[in-house]
Amino acid sequence: MINEKYPELMNRFLRYVKIDTQSDEDSKTIPSSPKEVAFLRDLSMELETLGLENVRTMPDGYVFAELSANIDDDNVPTIGFIAHVDTADFNAKQVNPQIIPNYDGHSEIVLGNSGYKLTVSEFPSLKKYTGHTLITTDGTTLLGADDKAGVAEIVSAIQYLVTHPDVKHGALRFAFGPDEEIGIGADHFDTDAFGADFAYTVDGGPLGELEWETFNAADARVTIAGRNVHPGTAKNSMINAIQVAMDFHSQLPDHDRPENTEGSEGFWHLMMIEGTPESATMRYIVRDHNRKQFENRKQKLVDIAEQFNQKFAHEQRITVTINDQYYNMGEILKDDMRSVNLAEAAMRSLDIKPIIEPVRGGTDGSKITFLGLPTPNLFAGGENMHGRFEYVSAQVMTQATDTILKIIALSQQ
């Protein structure tokens, strides 16, 4: 599919997703993976070739770049656009995208020779894309539209502005970073060096998503020290760490799990459990839009541990370690809605219906907003992200690029 306005958008996206940039949660380096470093190095060279100024790599791995204003108006805000280059924890090696032109809105899409397929019965969102060109996986990997669609859309908007100097704009800032998927990419984002008045992450899902409220998020580790003895003489002596882990988890409300919640409902999500009778470990992620309820959820884990430890003759057999990951950026943005209002106006002027609702997740914008730079999240187009059923519409990617340019245009009014 050749897009007359953004002729490189499709090829750029396909080129990006074929490069493995999966971040590594177990790494001790920043960025977490040399694959990300290599991709960001090549991307910085691409930005320089396009004609951006002050392209530089920051200590945390972010690539920053600038485009000077071509208008003389101090009242026009400096706007930033941000995307991440890493992909999620699913096979990202040898991504082989499929292109489905003029999708009919109802047929199944066979994903290569993997034995998997996209069907409307399982994925009703397909109905929205009648007549679209869809880009899917071959069923063996993720696609990487999260967030290489956002990267491609921002870079294509940059290319359009550079090749159309008659299009007026204020000063613009761009950032591309690592490690969003493992929750640490924006920990040290240098908002002062970036130099924007407000910004947008282009990291959302379907057409029209405009997100300015997110979860509050924490990671919780529960470690259990058991006492393993011969099961034949175990009465009143054995403390089976695996059983304790099961009992611990059963103390949490059945409803407050991801599979049972929606909208603004928070949850505890058991991500991992492993162990032996001697020792066991559990990992939870804790989520809630409401800060007070978020704090209560964290405290609940601590309280359960204390109750269990009392039963073990006050021995410290259960330890809970909690680390906050990000907070609901709506707490900050509600007091400065310029960025949100501008994005909403841009979408409406393009006949895109804004979808504004609390996102059941977070973005780098969550952290960047709390670092002092208001940063809501714009749609990038991906569906079914983080797995083999991921796909994106080429038309929606075009509309995302249009939205970026419209935000820039409307900021001058």
Side-chain angles (χ1 to χ4, degrees):
M1 174 186 172
I2 300 298
N3 185 308
E4 293 183 1
K5 188 173 183 181
Y6 315 117
E8 296 300 318
L9 175 58
M10 181 80 141
N11 288 336
R12 178 172 284 124
F13 174 69
L14 294 174
R15 173 163 53 89
Y16 290 166
V17 299
K18 290 178 181 178
I19 303 170
D20 179 8
T21 56
Q22 186 180 77
S23 45
D24 181 1
E25 188 172 26
D26 297 323
S27 171
K28 303 301 182 183
T29 64
I30 300 175
S32 70
S33 167
K35 297 178 290 188
E36 297 175 272
V37 175
F39 185 93
L40 286 162
R41 182 182 61 244
D42 291 345
L43 183 59
S44 67
M45 294 172 61
E46 182 178 358
L47 298 175
E48 289 179 341
T49 300
L50 287 174
L52 291 192
E53 306 141 352
N54 200 16
V55 179
R56 72 271 195 204
T57 299
M58 306 302 290
D60 60 356
Y62 261 90
V63 171
F64 283 4
E66 302 176 5
L67 185 62
S68 296
N70 60 9
I71 57 174
D72 186 12
D73 187 345
D74 293 338
N75 294 318
V76 176
T78 299
I79 303 176
F81 295 92
I82 303 168
H84 68 89
V85 304
D86 64 315
T87 57
D89 186 16
F90 191 85
N91 182 27
K93 296 179 180 178
Q94 298 181 333
V95 174
N96 182 31
Q98 295 186 153
I99 300 174
I100 314 297
N102 195 28
Y103 177 62
D104 62 15
H106 60 83
S107 295
E108 66 180 34
I109 299 174
V110 177
L111 301 179
N113 297 317
S114 67
Y116 294 97
K117 57 189 177 182
L118 286 165
T119 64
V120 172
S121 60
E122 291 182 299
F123 304 103
S125 61
L126 286 166
K127 297 176 184 178
K128 299 183 294 185
Y129 297 104
T130 301
H132 287 229
T133 294
L134 300 184
I135 307 165
T136 77
T137 77
D138 68 356
T140 64
T141 69
L142 50 63
L143 180 61
D146 179 13
D147 185 30
K148 288 173 182 172
V151 177
E153 290 152 7
I154 293 172
V155 176
S156 295
I158 292 169
Q159 184 175 29
Y160 183 85
L161 291 172
V162 170
T163 56
H164 294 81
D166 54 307
V167 176
K168 302 303 179 184
H169 57 82
L172 300 172
R173 302 289 186 262
F174 306 98
F176 304 93
D179 295 339
E180 191 269 356
E181 296 293 357
I182 59 174
I184 64 173
D187 283 358
H188 305 290
F189 189 94
D190 193 334
T191 57
D192 290 336
F194 190 55
D197 294 308
F198 54 82
Y200 301 91
T201 49
V202 185
D203 189 22
L207 178 69
E209 281 193 353
L210 172 56
E211 299 161 340
W212 64 275
E213 294 183 83
T214 62
F215 274 141
N216 298 288
D219 176 90
R221 309 272 174 155
V222 180
T223 58
I224 303 168
R227 182 194 297 135
N228 192 21
V229 298
H230 191 286
T233 57
K235 187 172 182 179
N236 299 323
S237 178
M238 175 185 284
I239 299 175
N240 186 332
I242 299 173
Q243 184 62 54
V244 174
M246 296 166 59
D247 294 343
F248 183 103
H249 184 65
S250 71
Q251 299 301 303
L252 297 172
D254 289 344
H255 175 270
D256 288 22
R257 301 172 183 170
E259 61 268 33
N260 297 330
T261 57
E262 61 183 352
S264 61
E265 296 174 315
F267 55 75
W268 294 272
H269 179 31
L270 182 58
M271 295 280 290
M272 179 275 291
I273 180 170
E274 61 183 11
T276 65
E278 187 71 23
S279 64
T281 303
M282 296 188 289
R283 180 192 168 200
Y284 289 90
I285 60 172
V286 184
R287 300 290 188 265
D288 209 294
H289 288 100
N290 180 280
R291 179 68 77 95
K292 182 178 180 180
Q293 292 174 188
F294 173 62
E295 297 298 332
N296 289 341
R297 288 185 185 280
K298 292 188 293 181
Q299 188 61 43
K300 177 73 170 177
L301 297 175
V302 174
D303 292 343
I304 294 171
E306 290 180 353
Q307 292 166 10
F308 274 59
N309 284 331
Q310 288 178 7
K311 295 178 182 178
F312 299 129
H314 300 281
E315 293 181 341
Q316 189 75 17
R317 292 200 170 269
I318 302 180
T319 302
V320 178
T321 304
I322 299 175
N323 293 303
D324 287 358
Q325 297 170 305
Y326 57 84
Y327 301 112
N328 184 352
M329 61 184 174
E331 293 180 24
I332 305 297
L333 287 171
K334 65 181 175 56
D335 297 323
D336 182 0
M337 294 288 284
R338 290 176 300 164
S339 55
V340 177
N341 294 338
L342 181 59
E344 183 177 0
M347 290 185 195
R348 293 193 186 281
S349 70
L350 294 168
D351 293 326
I352 298 171
K353 182 180 178 181
I355 302 172
I356 304 175
E357 55 190 25
V359 58
R360 292 180 59 78
T363 70
D364 278 341
S366 303
K367 291 186 176 181
I368 294 169
T369 295
F370 273 87
L371 289 170
L373 178 65
T375 308
N377 190 38
L378 303 174
F379 71 93
E383 296 266 11
N384 302 338
M385 293 181 283
H386 293 192
R388 71 178 83 248
F389 299 108
E390 185 181 6
Y391 69 92
V392 68
S393 157
Q395 283 83 352
V396 173
M397 289 180 62
T398 295
Q399 289 173 289
T401 310
D402 286 341
T403 299
I404 293 169
L405 293 173
K406 184 60 71 172
I407 287 171
I408 294 167
L410 292 183
S411 69
Q412 302 167 54
Q413 298 179 5

